[in-house]
Amino acid sequence: MFASVKSFGVDGIGGYPVTVEVNSSNGLPSFEIVGLPDAAVKESRERVRAAIKNCGYSFPPSRLTVNLAPADKRKVGTVYDLPILVGILAAQGSARSKAERVIGIPDDDMAFLGELSLDGEVRPILGALPMAIAARRSGVKHLFLPAENASEAAFADQVNVYPVSNVRELIAHLRGEESITPAAEPDVSAWDDTVLDFADVKGQENIKRAFEIAAAGGHNILVVGSPGAGKSMMAKRLPTIMPDMSREEMISCTEIYSVAGLTSRAHPVIASRPFRAPHHTVSAAGLAGGGSVPRPGEISLAHNGVLFLDELPEFRSDVLEVLRQPLEDGEVTVSRVSGTVKYPSRFMLVCAMNPCKCGWFGHPSGRCKCSPLDIRRYHSRISGPLLDRIDLIVQVPSLEFEELRSRKPGESSASIKKRVDAARAVQRKRYGDSSLCNAAIGPKELRTFCALSPSCEELMHMAFDTMGLTARSYDRILRVARTIADLAGEEKISEEHLAEAIQYRTHDFREG
């Protein structure tokens, strides 16, 4: 007696098909699972056995062998409980008459996912969306999974997703006794829980301008200033002026969050730009991802959004150096003995720091007691290669009393976002790619769309010699100038645009 049931697994953030093969034969009663199962998969034997009995069905007193194919790929997690149960009930009934069967063998266009409780309840799993997308690609039309994951999986589209709360409900559906209604795709347009606004920020118009440029071109930015100047306040409001996410961006972000177990029934889809702000005690693995079973880290959770590193020099140097490769490649590679996985990590890096260890260097109060050596030692915690990957470096001045007491609201995020959206629309049309912005363009686009006039070439030559620019910082200045021109609605980069881009590199905060 044999039955085959379709299921899926997750590798990195991508789903792949798994076939659950169940064979029931004569011999001493036993229950074995093969196909490189991990401990959680092996433990499913007891969960499945108890769930079948507690739901009123008989567990076969025979020799049961369950194979998870492909057998050379390690299977992890509790996602295979439900397909194993369905396979056992189908194999048990294959030698009986149709009236005696609990269920028949499922059709080829059906797949099952889910963890079981001992009484037959179906519990949520990780990675529902990646596996639903893999199901769609594999030609599966009917996907049965936990009710809590149904809205998330329904976002994959073109697959009928059936929310299953317990085993009895599933059996009744498969027997044609009581149908389960497929889940509807969540309406992400109805979600709007934004409470932050740039209108709350007093003064600091020049710094707001820098954040607007960063959002318009997807540029990395470092803000330097004394405590209370508004660095963190503005960084937290950056996602409110960034363009709305496309459906493809929502799917890619939700895949990451689903694998990490960070989606919920209330918000099954990541519909707004992520904002991640890890504490400076985070480890390199916590930032990049890893573990015995690799999981995405903070830089992947910030994909399509913002990674905010407050108190930048307080991060360990090995943690900061982890950022270098993802900032260039837009992905992070995690290698372990069991294999290598890649996570997308195209994010905006926003950093904030004090000008010195005590935080008051350059403050009008004169409270700083740090020596020049102390300041240089504090700034040396940030490596040159990392600084070279930051497009805009701006100093945040302390607010005057008159600015603080002013009741006049600043420009709203909605108003700034209109200009950012207009600049991004220009970039989409220019590059013919909705995901490509000025910060991510390559050498070919730089030569074509960032060509300089003779007067701009002279200005750039002067800046290159006096500032000691590298080839990377030279390119980044051109990209920022391109963004400034886009915000101004200009087709060509002018001296004014280039000068503004250069001034975002002229501030050397490391001078003590």
Side-chain angles (χ1 to χ4, degrees):
M1 294 174 284
F2 174 83
S4 176
V5 177
K6 285 188 176 181
S7 188
F8 293 86
V10 174
D11 183 17
I13 64 165
Y16 65 93
V18 173
T19 302
V20 178
E21 301 171 334
V22 179
N23 186 68
S24 178
S25 60
N26 296 327
L28 290 174
S30 63
F31 187 179
E32 295 296 331
I33 299 178
V34 297
L36 284 183
D38 73 345
V41 178
K42 289 180 180 179
E43 290 172 354
S44 68
R45 291 176 299 186
E46 302 308 318
R47 292 192 295 272
V48 170
R49 190 196 310 269
I52 289 176
K53 291 181 178 179
N54 290 328
C55 287
Y57 308 110
S58 62
F59 192 83
S62 57
R63 180 182 179 86
L64 281 176
T65 303
V66 176
N67 179 45
L68 305 178
D72 62 345
K73 200 174 188 69
R74 190 163 186 80
K75 316 304 184 306
V76 299
T78 57
V79 67
Y80 305 109
D81 289 5
L82 188 61
I84 289 174
L85 179 144
V86 171
I88 290 174
L89 293 180
Q92 183 180 5
S94 61
R96 302 178 181 180
S97 66
K98 186 174 182 180
E100 295 176 318
R101 295 175 187 172
V102 178
I103 55 172
I105 296 177
D107 297 335
D108 287 339
D109 61 354
M110 290 182 177
F112 302 83
L113 309 166
E115 175 186 337
L116 293 174
S117 69
L118 299 184
D119 63 352
E121 295 295 314
V122 182
R123 291 174 171 167
I125 56 174
L126 302 181
L129 181 60
M131 289 187 282
I133 292 173
R136 183 189 67 194
R137 292 171 180 163
S138 301
V140 169
K141 299 298 182 183
H142 308 284
L143 181 63
F144 299 85
L145 45 62
E148 193 164 326
N149 299 117
S151 292
E152 176 189 323
F155 204 66
D157 202 11
Q158 299 177 25
V159 177
N160 292 319
V161 175
Y162 297 88
V164 181
S165 299
N166 56 69
V167 171
R168 294 184 185 88
E169 183 181 87
L170 174 62
I171 300 303
H173 177 90
L174 295 178
R175 291 171 63 92
E177 297 170 354
E178 187 174 348
S179 297
I180 301 174
T181 303
E185 181 179 314
D187 182 12
V188 298
S189 63
W191 302 344
D192 186 12
D193 51 3
T194 303
V195 294
L196 302 177
D197 198 298
F198 265 97
D200 302 329
V201 181
K202 302 288 187 182
Q204 307 291 23
E205 299 303 325
N206 291 338
I207 313 305
K208 291 179 185 177
R209 165 69 174 174
F211 274 100
E212 180 181 335
I213 294 170
H219 302 288
N220 304 322
I221 182 172
L222 167 63
V223 288
V224 186
S226 301
K231 306 185 296 294
S232 299
M233 187 178 188
M234 285 184 280
K236 291 175 182 177
R237 284 157 175 74
L238 181 57
T240 66
I241 65 172
M242 295 175 67
D244 296 332
M245 288 213 292
S246 65
R247 183 182 178 86
E248 291 73 20
E249 289 175 324
M250 291 181 194
I251 289 175
S252 64
C253 286
T254 305
E255 286 180 313
I256 298 170
Y257 277 68
S258 178
V259 169
L262 297 178
T263 56
S264 66
R265 195 164 190 168
H267 289 86
V269 176
I270 307 303
S272 56
R273 299 281 174 186
F275 181 87
R276 304 295 298 183
H279 192 260
H280 61 76
T281 56
V282 67
S283 66
L287 199 64
S292 55
V293 177
R295 287 286 183 266
E298 291 291 338
I299 56 180
S300 295
L301 294 173
H303 181 59
N304 290 326
V306 174
L307 178 66
F308 178 48
L309 302 184
D310 201 6
E311 306 296 344
L312 184 64
E314 301 299 331
F315 286 81
R316 295 204 321 263
S317 59
D318 64 311
V319 174
L320 292 179
E321 296 311 302
V322 164
L323 292 168
R324 288 163 58 177
Q325 180 242 342
L327 284 172
E328 290 294 317
D329 301 340
E331 64 180 15
V332 59
T333 303
V334 178
S335 297
R336 295 292 182 269
V337 174
S338 58
T340 299
V341 296
K342 290 185 177 182
Y343 298 118
S345 58
R346 193 168 296 282
F347 57 90
M348 280 180 59
L349 177 63
V350 180
C351 305
M353 61 175 286
N354 295 328
C356 65
K357 181 68 175 178
C358 75
W360 302 108
F361 176 70
H363 193 270
S365 65
R367 281 185 279 181
C368 180
K369 303 301 180 184
C370 299
S371 68
L373 180 61
D374 292 334
I375 297 173
R376 285 196 294 271
R377 187 179 293 122
Y378 182 68
H379 293 154
S380 67
R381 299 180 185 179
I382 308 171
S383 69
L386 179 60
L387 280 176
D388 219 24
R389 288 167 169 81
I390 294 176
D391 302 326
L392 299 94
I393 302 175
V394 292
Q395 186 171 20
V396 184
S398 300
L399 287 171
E400 300 291 338
F401 178 75
E402 293 300 325
E403 291 178 304
L404 285 173
R405 69 185 295 269
S406 173
R407 296 184 178 276
K408 182 181 179 182
E411 187 177 16
S412 68
S413 293
S415 178
I416 300 173
K417 186 175 182 297
K418 288 180 181 179
R419 297 194 294 269
V420 171
D421 287 342
R424 285 291 185 104
V426 170
Q427 293 167 50
R428 286 195 298 271
K429 183 178 179 181
R430 177 189 298 134
Y431 305 125
D433 185 345
S434 61
S435 63
L436 194 61
C437 56
N438 288 332
I441 60 175
K444 181 179 179 181
E445 290 83 5
L446 269 175
R447 290 193 300 270
T448 305
F449 302 111
C450 298
L452 300 179
S453 65
S455 59
C456 288
E457 286 278 8
E458 185 178 348
L459 177 60
M460 195 65 172
H461 190 182
M462 186 185 307
F464 191 89
D465 292 340
T466 57
M467 296 167 60
L469 299 177
T470 65
R472 182 182 287 113
S473 55
Y474 172 87
D475 289 346
R476 290 186 178 274
I477 287 176
L478 288 181
R479 293 186 179 105
V480 173
R482 178 67 269 169
T483 300
I484 295 171
D486 290 342
L487 283 168
E490 300 290 340
E491 184 177 349
K492 295 184 178 180
I493 298 174
S494 68
E495 289 183 64
E496 181 182 356
H497 305 144
L498 185 60
E500 185 177 1
I502 291 172
Q503 66 100 9
Y504 289 121
R505 303 288 306 190
T506 55
H507 172 60
D508 190 352
F509 65 90
R510 290 171 293 181
E511 291 181 353

